Amino acid sequence: MLVVLGLLTSFLSFLYVIAPSIRKFFAGGVCRSNVQLPGKVVVITGANTGIGKETARELARRGARVYIACRDVLKGESAASEIRADTKNSQVLVRKLDLSDTKSIRAFAEGFLAEEKQLHILINNAGVMMCPYSKTADGFETHLGVNHLGHFLLTHLLLERLKESTPSRVVNLSSVVHHAGKIRFHDLQGEKRYSRGFAYCHSKLANVLFTRELARRLQGTGVTTYAVHPGVVSSELIRHSFLLCLLWRIFSPFVKSAREGAQTSLHCALAEGLEPLSGKYFSDCKRTWVSPRARDNETAERLWNVSCELLGIQWE
């Protein structure tokens, strides 16, 4: 046992010695776009922390008017204050948005539409991960309700403004774990069988399928959409899993920073000439492969229709 512990200690010590080189290797792609955004309006969900916060910081640095849409307004104001000071851009605003409550989503959209006549970039960044079984205010399983249905409804409510502001973009944060996901139409709410790990995977597959179907329906409108895998990132998203928190600490040299994790979101929001790739999935700032289930057009359309039914909306 002592020998094993000694070997493990030596291995971890070696990792930390070479950590700078490892981090550089695992940092992934970098957004190379030089596009500036004066006069452009951006909404980012969950931008009070992590990847969303760093995405907001960079877009504010480029001159955009950035709305941080988040549940914790005090934390949002703290993030906005930091970004304003860092970027010298006073147009970083915070608005209340709780994606687990459709009333809050509708209230946010109503307020935003009254306030802004344009919307150029919508980044559906917020999410939950590895939550014990629970339901949203509307009775949806939490991963499905927040990660998919909440952003589905928000995009629906803001779509006309996006169409009025073309060219415009919708960026949906997904994950490589969508490969392990499946849309279980017979048990979408996880009431028959629930695994908090697989529930997250299912919701991330829903994000990719939503992006695919949204792109199909938006052809010719000037609005394009992209799904993003940010990478393995150090963020608050893993807070519900003690095991993941432990692993993230042990293998921190392999984990991206929030700034590094924001690069693919920024690429899809900013890169010129990306329009022909609407509906595609990106990782490390380039298009990458999706699972066979994520390429199933029939499932994508059915999920769209079921989502509309659950939310009580009509979206043709």
Side-chain angles (χ1 to χ4, degrees), residues 42-56 59 66-72 93 95-99 105 108 119 121-128 146-147 150-155 158 170-173 204 265:
V42 178
V43 169
I44 310 175
T45 67
N48 57 327
T49 187
I51 296 169
K53 180 180 175 182
E54 294 308 314
T55 304
L59 296 179
V66 178
Y67 283 82
I68 293 176
C70 60
R71 183 174 57 181
D72 189 335
L93 309 170
R95 298 293 181 267
K96 172 81 171 181
L97 172 65
D98 183 350
L99 288 161
I105 298 169
F108 168 82
L119 174 59
I121 301 171
L122 169 62
I123 301 181
N124 290 320
N125 166 86
V128 294
V146 173
N147 295 351
H151 283 126
F152 187 95
L153 177 60
L154 179 65
T155 305
L158 298 181
V170 178
V171 179
N172 296 317
L173 265 74
K204 294 294 99 179
S265 295

Side-chain angles (χ1 to χ4, degrees), residues 30-33 169 171 226 228 262-272 274 277 282-287:
V30 176
C31 176
R32 303 291 183 186
S33 173
R169 296 184 181 184
V171 179
Y226 313 91
V228 165
Q263 295 305 305
T264 306
S265 295
L266 291 167
H267 174 77
C268 289
L270 298 169
E272 296 173 291
L274 218 57
L277 297 179
F282 288 74
S283 177
D284 283 333
C285 300
K286 58 183 181 293
R287 180 185 173 185

Side-chain angles (χ1 to χ4, degrees), residues 183 185 205 209 293 296-304:
I183 305 302
F185 288 107
L205 174 59
L209 290 168
R293 289 182 180 131
D296 190 324
N297 292 329
E298 184 177 330
T299 300
E301 184 175 8
R302 184 179 176 189
L303 178 63
W304 181 286

Side-chain angles (χ1 to χ4, degrees), residues 211-260:
T211 303
R212 186 179 187 88
E213 182 66 10
L214 181 63
R216 186 183 73 80
R217 292 170 182 256
L218 290 177
Q219 289 179 17
T221 65
V223 183
T224 53
T225 181
Y226 313 91
V228 165
H229 168 54
V232 180
V233 180
S234 176
S235 75
E236 293 182 5
L237 193 62
I238 61 171
R239 63 188 181 275
H240 292 293
S241 172
F242 172 78
L243 179 59
L244 284 180
C245 289
L246 179 62
L247 289 173
W248 257 237
R249 289 184 67 86
I250 293 173
F251 294 101
S252 58
F254 301 93
V255 176
K256 290 183 179 183
S257 67
R259 182 176 179 277
E260 291 162 348

